[in-house]
């Protein structure tokens, strides 16, 4: 067995990546546009991107761009 095969932290990372990707129909362009929109919203609110993400608590991820 490979060390990478038995790593619960990386298993969680990969599962999260897969979940986020599926929210955007596995379309990187949709995901990138969503991130750009979040950055625009952060700027409009006078917040850093990180502060905006922390403030929204990831709620924006619940409703990706269509």
């Amino acid at each position: 067995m490979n060390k990478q095969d038995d790593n619960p932290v990386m298993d969680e990372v990969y599962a999260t990546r897969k979940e986020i990707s599926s929210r955007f129909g596995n379309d990187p362009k949709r995901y990138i546009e969503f991130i750009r929109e979040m950055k625009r919203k952060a700027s409009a609110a006078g917040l850093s991107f990180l502060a905006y993400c922390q403030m929204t608590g990831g709620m924006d991820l619940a409703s990706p761009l269509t």
Side-chain angles (χ1 to χ4, degrees), residues 31-41 49:
Y31 178 67
I32 291 168
E33 181 54 36
F34 177 76
I35 295 299
R36 288 182 178 148
E37 180 62 24
M38 285 181 61
K39 288 182 177 183
R40 284 190 282 274
K41 289 179 180 181
F49 180 67

Side-chain angles (χ1 to χ4, degrees), residues 1-2 6-7 10 15 19 24 26 28 31-34 36-37 40-41 50 52 55-58 66:
M1 181 181 280
N2 190 331
D6 191 23
N7 188 330
M10 289 309 298
E19 179 183 333
F24 296 91
N26 299 311
Y31 178 67
I32 291 168
E33 181 54 36
F34 177 76
R36 288 182 178 148
E37 180 62 24
R40 284 190 282 274
K41 289 179 180 181
L50 176 59
Y52 180 80
M55 181 187 77
T56 62
T66 55

Side-chain angles (χ1 to χ4, degrees), residues 5-66:
D5 293 337
D6 191 23
N7 188 330
V9 173
M10 289 309 298
D11 290 344
E12 184 177 348
V13 169
Y14 294 135
T16 300
R17 288 175 57 187
K18 186 175 180 177
E19 179 183 333
I20 291 170
S21 182
S22 69
R23 290 180 189 176
F24 296 91
N26 299 311
D27 184 347
K29 290 179 183 180
R30 283 183 60 203
Y31 178 67
I32 291 168
E33 181 54 36
F34 177 76
I35 295 299
R36 288 182 178 148
E37 180 62 24
M38 285 181 61
K39 288 182 177 183
R40 284 190 282 274
K41 289 179 180 181
S43 180
L47 298 169
S48 70
F49 180 67
L50 176 59
Y52 180 80
C53 291
Q54 290 172 331
M55 181 187 77
T56 62
M59 293 306 295
D60 276 349
L61 283 176
S63 56
L65 299 174
T66 55

